[in-house]
Coordinates of all heavy atoms in Angstrom, one line a residue:
G7 N 7.9 -20.5 -35.2 CA 9.0 -19.9 -34.5 C 9.2 -18.5 -34.9 O 8.4 -17.8 -35.5
T8 N 10.3 -17.9 -34.4 CA 10.6 -16.6 -34.7 C 11.4 -16.5 -36.1 O 12.0 -17.5 -36.5 CB 11.5 -15.9 -33.7 OG1 12.7 -16.7 -33.6 CG2 10.9 -15.9 -32.3
Y9 N 11.3 -15.4 -36.7 CA 11.9 -15.3 -38.0 C 13.4 -14.8 -37.9 O 14.2 -15.0 -38.8 CB 11.2 -14.3 -38.9 CG 9.9 -14.8 -39.3 CD1 8.7 -14.3 -38.8 CD2 9.8 -15.8 -40.3 CE1 7.5 -14.8 -39.2 CE2 8.6 -16.4 -40.7 CZ 7.4 -15.8 -40.2 OH 6.2 -16.3 -40.5
K10 N 13.7 -14.2 -36.8 CA 15.1 -13.9 -36.5 C 15.5 -14.2 -35.1 O 14.6 -14.3 -34.2 CB 15.4 -12.4 -36.8 CG 14.6 -11.5 -35.9 CD 14.9 -10.0 -36.3 CE 14.1 -9.1 -35.3 NZ 14.5 -7.7 -35.5
R11 N 16.8 -14.4 -34.9 CA 17.2 -14.7 -33.5 C 17.3 -13.4 -32.7 O 17.4 -12.3 -33.2 CB 18.7 -15.3 -33.6 CG 18.7 -16.5 -34.5 CD 20.1 -17.0 -34.5 NE 20.4 -17.7 -33.3 CZ 21.5 -18.3 -33.0 NH1 22.5 -18.2 -33.9 NH2 21.7 -18.9 -31.9
S12 N 17.2 -13.6 -31.4 CA 17.3 -12.5 -30.5 C 18.7 -11.9 -30.5 O 19.6 -12.6 -30.8 CB 16.9 -12.8 -29.1 OG 17.9 -13.6 -28.5
A13 N 18.8 -10.6 -30.2 CA 20.1 -10.0 -30.3 C 21.0 -10.3 -29.0 O 22.1 -9.9 -28.9 CB 20.0 -8.5 -30.4
G14 N 20.4 -10.9 -28.0 CA 21.2 -11.3 -26.9 C 20.9 -10.5 -25.6 O 20.1 -9.6 -25.7
I15 N 21.5 -10.9 -24.6 CA 21.2 -10.2 -23.3 C 21.8 -8.8 -23.2 O 21.2 -7.9 -22.6 CB 21.8 -11.1 -22.1 CG1 21.2 -10.6 -20.8 CG2 23.3 -11.1 -22.1 CD1 21.3 -11.5 -19.7
I16 N 22.9 -8.5 -23.9 CA 23.5 -7.2 -23.9 C 22.5 -6.2 -24.6 O 22.3 -5.1 -24.1 CB 24.8 -7.2 -24.5 CG1 25.8 -8.1 -23.8 CG2 25.4 -5.8 -24.6 CD1 26.1 -7.6 -22.4
S17 N 21.9 -6.6 -25.7 CA 21.0 -5.7 -26.3 C 19.7 -5.5 -25.5 O 19.1 -4.4 -25.5 CB 20.7 -6.2 -27.7 OG 20.0 -7.4 -27.7
A18 N 19.3 -6.6 -24.8 CA 18.1 -6.4 -23.9 C 18.4 -5.5 -22.8 O 17.6 -4.7 -22.4 CB 17.7 -7.8 -23.4
I19 N 19.6 -5.5 -22.2 CA 20.0 -4.6 -21.1 C 20.1 -3.2 -21.7 O 19.6 -2.3 -21.0 CB 21.4 -5.0 -20.5 CG1 21.2 -6.3 -19.8 CG2 22.0 -3.9 -19.7 CD1 22.5 -6.9 -19.3
A20 N 20.6 -3.0 -22.9 CA 20.6 -1.7 -23.5 C 19.2 -1.1 -23.7 O 19.0 0.1 -23.5 CB 21.4 -1.7 -24.8
K21 N 18.3 -2.0 -24.1 CA 16.9 -1.6 -24.3 C 16.3 -1.1 -23.0 O 15.6 -0.1 -22.9 CB 16.1 -2.7 -24.9 CG 14.7 -2.4 -25.2 CD 14.0 -3.5 -25.8 CE 12.5 -3.2 -26.1 NZ 11.8 -4.4 -26.6
Q22 N 16.6 -1.8 -21.9 CA 16.1 -1.4 -20.6 C 16.7 -0.2 -20.1 O 16.1 0.7 -19.4 CB 16.3 -2.6 -19.6 CG 15.4 -3.8 -19.8 CD 14.0 -3.5 -19.7 OE1 13.5 -2.8 -18.8 NE2 13.2 -4.1 -20.5
M23 N 18.0 0.0 -20.4 CA 18.7 1.2 -20.0 C 18.2 2.5 -20.6 O 18.3 3.6 -20.0 CB 20.2 1.1 -20.2 CG 20.9 0.2 -19.3 SD 22.7 0.0 -19.7 CE 23.3 1.6 -19.6
K24 N 17.6 2.4 -21.8 CA 17.1 3.5 -22.5 C 15.9 4.1 -21.7 O 15.6 5.3 -21.8 CB 16.7 3.2 -23.9 CG 17.8 3.0 -24.8 CD 17.4 2.7 -26.2 CE 18.6 2.3 -27.1 NZ 18.2 1.9 -28.4
S25 N 15.2 3.3 -21.0 CA 14.0 3.8 -20.3 C 14.2 4.0 -18.8 O 13.2 4.4 -18.1 CB 12.8 2.8 -20.5 OG 13.2 1.5 -19.9
I26 N 15.4 3.9 -18.3 CA 15.7 4.1 -16.9 C 15.7 5.6 -16.6 O 16.3 6.4 -17.4 CB 17.0 3.5 -16.5 CG1 16.8 2.0 -16.3 CG2 17.5 4.1 -15.1 CD1 18.0 1.3 -15.9
N27 N 15.1 6.1 -15.6 CA 15.0 7.5 -15.2 C 15.2 7.5 -13.7 O 14.5 6.9 -12.9 CB 13.7 8.1 -15.6 CG 13.8 9.6 -15.6 OD1 14.6 10.2 -14.9 ND2 13.0 10.2 -16.4
L28 N 16.2 8.3 -13.2 CA 16.5 8.4 -11.8 C 15.9 9.6 -11.1 O 16.3 9.9 -10.0 CB 18.1 8.5 -11.6 CG 18.9 7.3 -12.1 CD1 20.4 7.6 -11.9 CD2 18.5 6.0 -11.4
K29 N 14.9 10.2 -11.7 CA 14.3 11.4 -11.0 C 13.7 11.1 -9.7 O 13.8 11.9 -8.7 CB 13.3 12.0 -12.0 CG 13.9 12.8 -13.1 CD 12.9 13.5 -13.9 CE 13.6 14.2 -15.1 NZ 12.6 14.8 -16.0
P30 N 13.0 9.9 -9.5 CA 12.4 9.7 -8.1 C 13.4 9.1 -7.1 O 13.1 8.8 -6.0 CB 11.3 8.7 -8.4 CG 11.7 8.0 -9.6 CD 12.4 9.0 -10.4
V31 N 14.7 9.0 -7.5 CA 15.7 8.3 -6.7 C 16.6 9.4 -6.0 O 17.1 10.3 -6.6 CB 16.6 7.4 -7.5 CG1 17.7 6.7 -6.7 CG2 15.7 6.3 -8.2
K32 N 16.8 9.2 -4.7 CA 17.7 10.0 -3.9 C 19.1 9.4 -3.8 O 20.1 10.1 -3.9 CB 17.1 10.3 -2.6 CG 17.8 11.3 -1.8 CD 17.3 11.6 -0.4 CE 16.1 10.9 0.0 NZ 15.6 11.2 1.4
K33 N 19.1 8.1 -3.6 CA 20.4 7.4 -3.3 C 20.3 6.0 -3.7 O 19.3 5.3 -3.5 CB 20.7 7.6 -1.8 CG 22.0 7.0 -1.4 CD 22.2 7.3 0.1 CE 23.6 6.9 0.6 NZ 23.7 7.1 2.0
I34 N 21.4 5.5 -4.3 CA 21.5 4.0 -4.6 C 22.8 3.5 -3.9 O 23.9 4.0 -4.1 CB 21.7 3.8 -6.1 CG1 20.5 4.4 -6.9 CG2 21.9 2.4 -6.4 CD1 20.6 4.3 -8.4
Q35 N 22.6 2.5 -3.1 CA 23.6 1.8 -2.4 C 23.8 0.4 -2.9 O 22.8 -0.4 -2.9 CB 23.4 1.7 -0.9 CG 23.5 3.0 -0.2 CD 23.2 2.9 1.3 OE1 22.4 2.0 1.7 NE2 23.9 3.6 2.1
V36 N 25.0 0.1 -3.4 CA 25.2 -1.3 -3.9 C 26.3 -1.9 -3.0 O 27.4 -1.4 -2.9 CB 25.7 -1.2 -5.4 CG1 26.0 -2.6 -5.9 CG2 24.8 -0.5 -6.3
S37 N 25.9 -2.9 -2.2 CA 26.8 -3.6 -1.3 C 27.0 -5.0 -1.8 O 26.1 -5.7 -2.1 CB 26.3 -3.5 0.1 OG 25.2 -4.3 0.2
F38 N 28.3 -5.4 -1.8 CA 28.6 -6.8 -2.3 C 30.0 -7.2 -1.7 O 30.8 -6.4 -1.4 CB 28.6 -6.9 -3.8 CG 29.7 -6.0 -4.5 CD1 30.9 -6.5 -4.8 CD2 29.4 -4.7 -4.8 CE1 31.9 -5.7 -5.4 CE2 30.3 -3.9 -5.4 CZ 31.6 -4.4 -5.7
D39 N 30.1 -8.5 -1.6 CA 31.4 -9.1 -1.2 C 32.1 -9.6 -2.5 O 31.5 -10.4 -3.2 CB 31.1 -10.3 -0.2 CG 32.4 -10.9 0.2 OD1 33.5 -10.3 0.0 OD2 32.3 -12.0 0.8
P40 N 33.3 -9.1 -2.8 CA 33.9 -9.4 -4.1 C 34.2 -10.9 -4.2 O 34.4 -11.4 -5.2 CB 35.1 -8.6 -4.1 CG 35.4 -8.1 -2.7 CD 34.1 -8.1 -2.0
F41 N 34.3 -11.6 -3.0 CA 34.6 -13.0 -3.0 C 33.4 -13.9 -3.1 O 33.5 -15.2 -3.1 CB 35.4 -13.4 -1.8 CG 36.7 -12.6 -1.8 CD1 36.9 -11.7 -0.8 CD2 37.7 -12.8 -2.7 CE1 38.1 -10.9 -0.7 CE2 38.9 -12.1 -2.7 CZ 39.1 -11.1 -1.7
H42 N 32.2 -13.3 -3.1 CA 30.9 -14.1 -3.2 C 30.8 -14.6 -4.6 O 31.2 -13.9 -5.6 CB 29.7 -13.2 -2.8 CG 28.5 -14.0 -2.5 ND1 27.6 -14.3 -3.5 CD2 27.9 -14.5 -1.4 CE1 26.6 -15.0 -3.0 NE2 26.8 -15.1 -1.7
A43 N 30.1 -15.7 -4.8 CA 30.0 -16.3 -6.1 C 29.1 -15.5 -7.0 O 29.4 -15.5 -8.3 CB 29.4 -17.7 -6.0
N44 N 28.1 -14.8 -6.5 CA 27.2 -14.0 -7.4 C 27.4 -12.5 -7.3 O 26.5 -11.8 -7.5 CB 25.8 -14.4 -7.0 CG 25.4 -15.8 -7.3 OD1 26.0 -16.4 -8.2 ND2 24.5 -16.4 -6.5
A45 N 28.6 -12.1 -7.0 CA 28.9 -10.7 -6.9 C 29.0 -10.0 -8.2 O 28.9 -8.8 -8.3 CB 30.2 -10.4 -6.1
V46 N 29.1 -10.8 -9.3 CA 29.2 -10.2 -10.6 C 27.9 -9.4 -11.0 O 28.0 -8.4 -11.6 CB 29.4 -11.4 -11.6 CG1 29.4 -10.9 -13.1 CG2 30.6 -12.1 -11.3
T47 N 26.8 -9.8 -10.5 CA 25.5 -9.1 -10.8 C 25.5 -7.7 -10.2 O 25.2 -6.8 -10.9 CB 24.3 -9.9 -10.2 OG1 24.3 -11.2 -10.8 CG2 23.0 -9.2 -10.5
A48 N 26.0 -7.6 -9.0 CA 26.0 -6.2 -8.4 C 27.1 -5.4 -9.1 O 26.8 -4.2 -9.3 CB 26.3 -6.4 -6.9
R49 N 28.2 -5.9 -9.4 CA 29.2 -5.2 -10.1 C 28.8 -4.7 -11.5 O 29.0 -3.6 -11.9 CB 30.5 -6.0 -10.2 CG 31.2 -6.1 -8.8 CD 32.5 -6.8 -9.0 NE 32.3 -8.1 -9.6 CZ 33.2 -8.9 -10.1 NH1 34.5 -8.6 -9.9 NH2 32.9 -10.1 -10.6
D50 N 28.1 -5.6 -12.2 CA 27.6 -5.2 -13.5 C 26.5 -4.2 -13.4 O 26.5 -3.2 -14.2 CB 27.1 -6.5 -14.2 CG 28.2 -7.4 -14.7 OD1 29.3 -7.0 -14.7 OD2 27.8 -8.5 -15.1
F51 N 25.6 -4.3 -12.4 CA 24.6 -3.2 -12.2 C 25.3 -1.9 -11.9 O 24.9 -0.9 -12.5 CB 23.7 -3.6 -11.0 CG 22.7 -2.6 -10.7 CD1 21.5 -2.4 -11.4 CD2 22.9 -1.7 -9.6 CE1 20.6 -1.4 -11.1 CE2 22.0 -0.7 -9.3 CZ 20.9 -0.6 -10.1
L52 N 26.3 -1.9 -11.1 CA 27.0 -0.7 -10.8 C 27.7 -0.1 -12.0 O 27.7 1.1 -12.2 CB 28.1 -1.0 -9.7 CG 28.7 0.2 -9.0 CD1 27.6 1.0 -8.3 CD2 29.7 -0.3 -8.0
Y53 N 28.2 -0.9 -12.9 CA 28.8 -0.5 -14.1 C 27.8 0.2 -15.0 O 28.0 1.2 -15.6 CB 29.5 -1.7 -14.8 CG 30.0 -1.3 -16.2 CD1 31.1 -0.6 -16.4 CD2 29.3 -1.8 -17.3 CE1 31.6 -0.3 -17.7 CE2 29.7 -1.5 -18.6 CZ 30.9 -0.7 -18.8 OH 31.3 -0.4 -20.0
F54 N 26.7 -0.5 -15.2 CA 25.7 0.0 -16.2 C 24.9 1.2 -15.6 O 24.6 2.1 -16.4 CB 24.6 -1.1 -16.5 CG 25.2 -2.2 -17.4 CD1 25.1 -3.5 -17.0 CD2 25.7 -1.9 -18.6 CE1 25.6 -4.5 -17.8 CE2 26.2 -2.8 -19.5 CZ 26.1 -4.2 -19.1
I55 N 24.7 1.3 -14.3 CA 24.0 2.5 -13.8 C 24.9 3.7 -13.8 O 24.3 4.8 -13.7 CB 23.5 2.1 -12.3 CG1 22.3 3.0 -12.0 CG2 24.5 2.4 -11.3 CD1 21.0 2.5 -12.7
N56 N 26.2 3.6 -13.9 CA 27.1 4.8 -13.9 C 27.3 5.3 -15.3 O 28.2 6.1 -15.6 CB 28.4 4.4 -13.3 CG 28.4 4.5 -11.8 OD1 27.8 5.4 -11.3 ND2 29.1 3.5 -11.2
A57 N 26.4 4.9 -16.3 CA 26.5 5.4 -17.6 C 26.1 6.9 -17.6 O 25.2 7.3 -16.9 CB 25.6 4.7 -18.6
P58 N 26.8 7.8 -18.4 CA 26.5 9.2 -18.4 C 25.0 9.5 -18.7 O 24.4 10.5 -18.2 CB 27.4 9.8 -19.4 CG 28.5 8.8 -19.6 CD 27.9 7.5 -19.2
R59 N 24.4 8.8 -19.6 CA 23.1 9.0 -20.0 C 22.1 8.8 -18.8 O 21.1 9.6 -18.6 CB 22.7 8.1 -21.2 CG 21.3 8.5 -21.8 CD 20.6 7.2 -22.1 NE 19.2 7.3 -22.1 CZ 18.3 7.3 -21.1 NH1 18.8 7.1 -19.9 NH2 17.0 7.4 -21.2
I60 N 22.4 7.8 -18.0 CA 21.5 7.5 -16.8 C 21.8 8.5 -15.7 O 20.9 9.0 -15.1 CB 21.7 6.1 -16.4 CG1 21.3 5.1 -17.4 CG2 21.0 5.8 -15.1 CD1 21.5 3.7 -17.1
I61 N 23.0 8.9 -15.5 CA 23.4 9.8 -14.4 C 22.8 11.2 -14.7 O 22.4 11.9 -13.8 CB 24.9 9.9 -14.2 CG1 25.4 8.6 -13.6 CG2 25.3 11.1 -13.3 CD1 26.9 8.5 -13.5
N62 N 22.7 11.6 -16.0 CA 22.2 12.9 -16.4 C 20.7 13.0 -16.1 O 20.2 14.2 -16.2 CB 22.5 13.2 -17.8 CG 24.0 13.5 -18.0 OD1 24.6 14.0 -17.1 ND2 24.5 13.4 -19.2
T63 N 20.0 12.0 -15.9 CA 18.6 12.1 -15.6 C 18.3 12.6 -14.2 O 17.3 13.2 -13.9 CB 17.9 10.7 -15.7 OG1 18.5 9.8 -14.8 CG2 17.9 10.2 -17.1
N64 N 19.3 12.5 -13.3 CA 19.2 13.1 -11.9 C 20.6 13.3 -11.4 O 21.2 12.3 -10.9 CB 18.4 12.2 -11.0 CG 18.2 12.8 -9.6 OD1 18.6 14.0 -9.4 ND2 17.5 12.1 -8.8
L65 N 21.1 14.5 -11.5 CA 22.4 14.8 -11.0 C 22.6 14.8 -9.5 O 23.7 14.7 -9.0 CB 22.9 16.1 -11.6 CG 23.0 16.1 -13.1 CD1 23.3 17.6 -13.6 CD2 24.0 15.2 -13.6
N66 N 21.5 14.9 -8.8 CA 21.5 14.9 -7.3 C 21.5 13.5 -6.7 O 21.6 13.3 -5.5 CB 20.3 15.7 -6.8 CG 20.4 17.1 -7.1 OD1 21.5 17.6 -7.2 ND2 19.3 17.8 -7.3
C67 N 21.3 12.5 -7.6 CA 21.3 11.1 -7.1 C 22.7 10.6 -6.7 O 23.7 10.8 -7.5 CB 20.7 10.2 -8.2 SG 20.7 8.4 -7.7
V68 N 22.9 10.1 -5.5 CA 24.2 9.6 -5.1 C 24.2 8.1 -5.3 O 23.4 7.3 -4.8 CB 24.3 9.9 -3.5 CG1 25.6 9.3 -3.0 CG2 24.2 11.4 -3.3
I69 N 25.3 7.6 -6.0 CA 25.5 6.2 -6.2 C 26.7 5.8 -5.4 O 27.8 6.2 -5.6 CB 25.7 5.9 -7.7 CG1 24.5 6.4 -8.5 CG2 26.0 4.4 -7.9 CD1 24.6 6.3 -10.0
K70 N 26.4 4.9 -4.4 CA 27.5 4.6 -3.5 C 27.8 3.1 -3.5 O 26.9 2.3 -3.0 CB 27.1 5.0 -2.1 CG 28.2 4.7 -1.0 CD 27.8 5.2 0.3 CE 28.9 4.8 1.3 NZ 28.4 4.9 2.7
P71 N 28.9 2.6 -3.9 CA 29.3 1.2 -3.8 C 29.8 0.9 -2.4 O 30.5 1.8 -1.8 CB 30.4 1.0 -4.8 CG 30.9 2.4 -5.0 CD 29.9 3.4 -4.7
N72 N 29.5 -0.2 -1.9 CA 29.9 -0.6 -0.5 C 30.5 -2.0 -0.6 O 29.7 -3.0 -0.8 CB 28.7 -0.5 0.5 CG 29.1 -0.8 1.9 OD1 30.3 -0.7 2.2 ND2 28.2 -1.1 2.7
V73 N 31.8 -2.1 -0.6 CA 32.5 -3.4 -0.7 C 32.7 -3.9 0.8 O 33.4 -3.2 1.6 CB 33.8 -3.2 -1.4 CG1 34.5 -4.6 -1.5 CG2 33.6 -2.7 -2.8
V74 N 32.1 -5.1 1.0 CA 32.2 -5.7 2.4 C 33.0 -7.0 2.2 O 33.1 -7.5 1.1 CB 30.8 -5.9 3.0 CG1 30.2 -4.6 3.3 CG2 30.0 -6.7 2.1
C75 N 33.5 -7.5 3.3 CA 34.2 -8.7 3.3 C 33.6 -9.6 4.4 O 34.3 -10.0 5.4 CB 35.7 -8.5 3.5 SG 36.6 -10.0 3.2
D76 N 32.3 -9.9 4.3 CA 31.7 -10.8 5.4 C 30.9 -11.9 4.7 O 30.0 -12.4 5.4 CB 30.8 -9.9 6.3 CG 29.8 -9.1 5.5 OD1 29.7 -9.2 4.3 OD2 29.0 -8.4 6.1
R77 N 31.1 -12.2 3.5 CA 30.5 -13.3 2.7 C 29.0 -13.1 2.6 O 28.2 -14.0 2.5 CB 30.8 -14.6 3.4 CG 32.2 -15.0 3.4 CD 32.7 -15.3 2.1 NE 34.1 -15.8 2.2 CZ 34.9 -16.0 1.2 NH1 34.5 -15.7 0.0 NH2 36.1 -16.4 1.4
S78 N 28.5 -11.8 2.7 CA 27.1 -11.5 2.5 C 26.7 -11.5 1.1 O 27.6 -11.3 0.2 CB 26.7 -10.2 3.2 OG 27.4 -9.2 2.6
E79 N 25.4 -11.7 0.8 CA 25.0 -11.8 -0.6 C 24.9 -10.3 -1.1 O 24.7 -9.4 -0.3 CB 23.7 -12.5 -0.7 CG 22.5 -11.8 0.0 CD 21.2 -12.6 -0.2 OE1 21.3 -13.9 -0.2 OE2 20.2 -12.0 -0.2

Side-chain angles (χ1 to χ4, degrees):
T8 61
Y9 290 109
K10 61 180 183 176
R11 300 179 79 181
S12 71
I15 192 163
I16 298 297
S17 65
I19 290 172
K21 183 179 177 183
Q22 291 294 323
M23 284 178 58
K24 288 180 184 176
S25 60
I26 286 182
N27 198 332
L28 295 179
K29 285 183 182 175
V31 178
K32 186 179 5 177
K33 184 178 186 180
I34 298 175
Q35 289 181 326
V36 180
S37 64
F38 61 93
D39 181 12
F41 301 111
H42 193 274
N44 294 331
V46 176
T47 302
R49 289 184 303 171
D50 287 345
F51 175 81
L52 195 58
Y53 171 77
F54 287 123
I55 205 76
N56 278 319
R59 188 220 156 276
I60 295 176
I61 291 176
N62 287 336
T63 59
N64 185 1
L65 296 175
N66 295 327
C67 178
V68 177
I69 300 173
K70 183 181 179 195
N72 186 15
V73 180
V74 294
C75 191
D76 56 358
R77 301 289 184 190
S78 62
E79 65 182 31

